[in-house]
Amino acid sequence: MKKDDANAERYIAIARACLKAINDTAAEAGSREEKIQAVYQAIDDAFQAEFADYRQSVAVMGTVLERIASGQLDAETAASLARKTLDQQPENTRNALIH
């Protein structure tokens, strides 16, 4: 992955969480299955944290699309609402690929 990739920081944060979980579980007592589950949980937690902005942005856009799709807004109002919604979108969700 290139350092200037928009998702590089996300990948690094997720990778660090995974490595930390692996290191933490290696020294702990417990079954192999418990250790694997702890690593899976760390991966899930890291993904949830890294994509929280995306989920919030998608929820807002869904609400706006529902209002536009209702047909109760004239074209100018619908276009204005769409522009305002796009302008309020978090910077890290704009034009970035999600892998």
Side-chain angles (χ1 to χ4, degrees):
M1 174 180 306
K2 297 177 184 176
K3 289 184 179 182
D4 61 346
D5 185 321
N7 289 311
E9 288 182 33
R10 285 187 182 90
Y11 286 116
I12 291 167
I14 292 167
R16 283 185 179 144
C18 295
L19 291 172
K20 181 181 180 321
I22 291 168
N23 288 333
D24 289 349
T25 60
E28 293 177 3
S31 72
R32 181 175 184 271
E33 188 60 38
E34 289 171 333
K35 292 178 181 188
I36 291 170
Q37 188 57 43
V39 173
Y40 285 155
Q41 187 62 52
I43 293 168
D44 187 55
D45 292 348
F47 268 99
Q48 295 301 323
E50 291 304 316
F51 291 102
D53 286 342
Y54 284 108
R55 284 191 306 279
Q56 181 180 5
S57 183
V58 167
V60 168
M61 287 185 214
T63 301
V64 170
L65 286 173
E66 286 173 5
R67 285 193 60 202
I68 292 170
S70 74
Q72 297 175 1
L73 304 174
D74 61 61
E76 185 177 325
T77 303
S80 175
L81 183 59
R83 280 191 299 276
K84 288 177 184 176
T85 302
L86 290 171
D87 289 344
Q88 293 175 10
Q89 187 177 5
E91 187 63 36
N92 62 351
T93 65
R94 295 178 191 208
N95 301 320
L97 296 174
I98 303 175
H99 300 262

